[in-house]
Structure formats: C-alpha cells, structure tokens
Amino acid sequence: MEIPRFPIILGLGANLPGRFGPPRAALGAALARLEAAGVALTGRSPWYESAPVPMSDQPWYVNGVVTVTTELDPAALLALLLATEAEMGRERSVQNAARVIDLDLLACGEIVRKPPEAVPELPHPRLAARAFVVLPLFDLLPGWRHPETGTAVADMARALPAGQQIRVLADAGGPYGTELQDSGR
C-alpha cells in the first residue's frame, strides 16, 4: 500500500510492563487494537529504545512511529487513542510519568490546528524536539515535511536538542514487531 504524501502519523511509546507484557509487546497490542477499530496500518518505523525526556531514573522507553489511514476525523481518532490507552491500563498522574502505553496523534495530513479553538493541536507541538519521534519518523518517511513550518524531517533530525539518548532495537519481523528480543536492558 502506498503511503500518501501527507499521511496520518501516530507515535507510540511504553516503558512499563503491563497486562500485555513488556513495553514492546504492549505497542504491538495497541496496533492490533487500533486495526480492530478500523485504523489501517500503512507503515511502521523500526522500534527504538530511548531514555526518558526529561532525563529521570524511570526505565527506558520503546518507541516507534506508524502511518495509518482511517475515516475518523482528528478529534475522533484522538478519542480512540485515549480510549485504547485507558483500556490497556494507562493511568495518568503527573506529566512525563512512566507508562504502560502512550499513543500520540503526531500529524494528520496537512491539517494545522492550534488551541484553544482546536483539539487536538496538529501537528503535535513537541514533535520536532523529540529524538524518539523524529528519528523513527525519518526512518519511515525520509522525505516528510512538517505541515506548518515546511521543515524537512532530516533537518529536524540535525537540529535535535543535545543529550537525548536513543538507539534502534533489533527489529523482529511481523507487522507489529511483537516478537520479544533481549535489548540488553
């Protein structure tokens, strides 16, 4: 399936085990749940392992980026992502807390929306500053440009703030990468 020029892009992350297993398995379970709800997966980056941002003593995250197609509008898609997080056991406490699953709507085609009038804000306001988003996004869509600024993802990668620790995980086959491999952590 060909990825549209301006696809819908989701970010996924997890750093705590939950009822779906370790973080990487939870990401696969989240993708399966989204597909069961009618969100078609059209592409997936390699899985990355990244230190928490901001740096803390919590476990490292497993992160990735996917492209999808759906008939849902941005608000309905965000509602589905939040409902999936809740169903999978995410508890929201403090900002940047460790979590069993994190699903973010990063970009939705060429749509640009700003609060307070628009929810969700699109593109995601911190997309360009996070290595755990930009590097997987570059792997998946090396020609992608930010819909609001026009900045190429390659330029975002070069401009990332220093100090973010991230590395590609050994990537098992399959559409979700749910096969478990020891990443040395």
Side-chain angles (χ1 to χ4, degrees):
M1 183 180 305
E2 183 176 323
I3 296 173
R5 181 169 171 229
F6 292 101
I8 299 170
I9 304 169
L10 306 180
L12 298 88
N15 72 335
L16 294 177
R19 71 176 199 262
F20 294 93
R24 187 164 166 171
L27 299 179
L31 290 174
R33 286 179 147 43
L34 292 174
E35 284 200 307
V39 177
L41 182 67
T42 57
R44 180 181 62 81
S45 73
W47 295 121
Y48 277 76
E49 185 176 44
S50 62
V53 175
M55 192 57 117
S56 71
D57 63 354
Q58 63 180 271
W60 280 43
Y61 284 80
V62 176
N63 296 99
V65 168
V66 298
T67 54
V68 301
T69 59
T70 181
E71 296 299 316
L72 298 173
D73 65 38
L77 179 55
L78 179 62
L80 175 61
L81 297 178
L82 295 173
T84 301
E85 288 180 345
E87 176 188 328
M88 293 183 69
R90 173 149 185 203
E91 296 178 11
R92 294 182 180 271
S93 57
V94 297
Q95 188 174 7
N96 300 315
R99 57 203 71 155
V100 296
I101 194 72
D102 185 26
L103 305 173
D104 289 319
L105 179 54
L106 299 174
C108 197
E110 295 181 81
I111 297 172
V112 175
R113 298 168 54 157
K114 296 293 178 195
E117 299 81 27
V119 174
E121 182 173 357
L122 290 169
H124 192 286
R126 291 175 300 285
L127 178 155
R130 304 291 199 224
F132 61 81
V133 170
V134 172
L135 297 179
L137 181 55
F138 179 74
D139 283 339
L140 181 59
L141 299 170
W144 186 79
R145 291 185 169 274
H146 193 284
E148 181 178 16
T149 66
T151 305
V153 69
D155 292 332
M156 288 181 225
R158 285 188 283 277
L160 283 168
Q164 297 184 57
Q165 299 176 41
I166 184 167
R167 59 182 168 254
V168 176
L169 285 171
D171 202 15
Y176 306 121
T178 55
E179 298 82 345
L180 304 178
Q181 292 188 356
D182 181 7
S183 64
R185 290 209 80 41

